Amino acid sequence: MRSVTAFVSGFIFSLGLAIGGMLEPARVVGFLDFFGTWDPTLAFVMIGALAVNTVAYRLTIRRMRPLFAERFALPERTSLDPKLLVGSALFGIGWSLSGYCPGPALTNLVTGTSVALLFAGAMAVGALLGQWPRERVRGP
Amino acid sequence: MAEFSVVHGLVGGVLVGFAAALLFLGKGRIAGLSGIFGGIVHRRDVKWRLVFLFGLAAGGLAARMFMPAAFGAPVETSTPVILLAGLLVGYGTTVGNGCTSGHGVCGISRFSVRSLVATGTFIATGALTLVVLRAVGGGV
């Protein structure tokens, strides 16, 4: 049951992306095209997701612990630091240029196209570089 | 690309929300794809993340089989732009500690101010990027 949970979650997640049109870069970029031909689909995906998860979160967090893990792994930071703003700003640019954010980009790997592979590879390099603004936890 | 459908968006979103709810209830983990991917890149708690991504891929394969039209054409096929976009997405989501699923769905579900600000920021720069691209001429 424990290992199945993450698998099932991933499975339903990508199906949700597919049905919701989030694997169509043009549609995703269309959502960001506020001053052009606006495609509101992404907004409806967000509404559907938030409708479910807002309620689910409230109910789940009443528990002492998750079903198949020791503790809830929640983010601890609360401040609006420069990293949050700069990181988000840069992400938004990359997202708009390609129509891909991490979820759709990784799901897209099943198509085996060069675009999918190149993007995922670059994303990995970017993620590695992203550790540099952080304090080093371990030595070299 | 079909015309936008409110129903598809909502259904897709509900599935994404359900997937996130399941992962949190079951494993106490946030269904933030940039964090799941980044954790593998930085070799932190790799196992459950890999299992999730296998599920994501399985769902992707199922979508490819039963609704291949879900995979839309890339908006950008120039290699330098794809690489740049991937770098920005990987770097930005790592530094900003989240993406559309992590901040947009999971964070906002918790009424996290950080996530609200992050989401607003990446949507804003995404929209701005399009405006600039159009102004420069051609656009995506």
Side-chain angles (χ1 to χ4, degrees), chain B residues 39-139:
Chain B
I40 291 172
V41 168
H42 292 110
R43 284 175 278 175
R44 272 192 317 261
D45 301 326
V46 172
K47 192 182 153 232
W48 77 266
R49 299 182 204 273
L50 271 178
V51 173
F52 181 92
L53 289 187
F54 280 133
L56 194 84
L61 286 169
R64 252 193 116 196
M65 237 188 307
F66 299 110
M67 39 182 200
F71 292 86
V75 294
E76 191 53 64
T77 49
S78 131
T79 302
V81 179
I82 292 165
L83 292 178
L84 173 66
L87 269 172
L88 288 170
V89 169
Y91 184 79
T93 55
T94 301
V95 171
N97 205 42
C99 58
T100 46
S101 52
H103 280 309
V105 175
C106 299
I108 293 181
S109 292
R110 295 166 44 231
F111 305 142
S112 157
V113 175
R114 269 177 64 90
S115 290
L116 275 159
V117 170
T119 304
T121 302
F122 57 68
I123 289 178
T125 61
L128 202 62
T129 299
L130 280 181
V131 171
V132 170
L133 284 174
R134 296 258 156 77
V136 162

Side-chain angles (χ1 to χ4, degrees), chain A residues 27-110:
Chain A
R27 189 182 296 282
V28 172
V29 174
F31 168 76
L32 297 169
D33 197 7
F34 294 120
F35 305 107
T37 322
W38 189 53
D39 186 320
T41 308
L42 191 147
F44 288 110
V45 175
M46 286 294 297
I47 288 168
L50 288 173
V52 170
N53 203 43
T54 308
V55 175
Y57 174 76
R58 290 281 139 211
L59 294 172
T60 301
I61 205 64
R62 288 180 196 173
R63 295 176 51 88
M64 296 293 288
R65 41 167 288 184
L67 290 172
F68 311 118
E70 290 300 309
R71 43 180 283 275
F72 293 109
L74 285 169
E76 285 157 22
R77 299 189 199 95
T78 50
S79 64
L80 303 175
D81 52 49
K83 277 169 59 184
L84 181 79
L85 298 172
V86 172
S88 300
L90 293 174
F91 162 50
I93 298 172
W95 184 35
S96 183
L97 285 173
S98 63
Y100 289 118
C101 57
L106 292 169
T107 307
N108 201 36
L109 283 171
V110 302

Side-chain angles (χ1 to χ4, degrees), chain B residues 15-44:
Chain B
L15 287 173
V16 167
F18 184 75
L22 177 65
L23 191 67
F24 192 63
L25 172 65
K27 304 288 279 183
R29 292 286 186 174
I30 298 288
L33 272 293
S34 69
I36 292 173
F37 182 67
I40 291 172
V41 168
H42 292 110
R43 284 175 278 175
R44 272 192 317 261

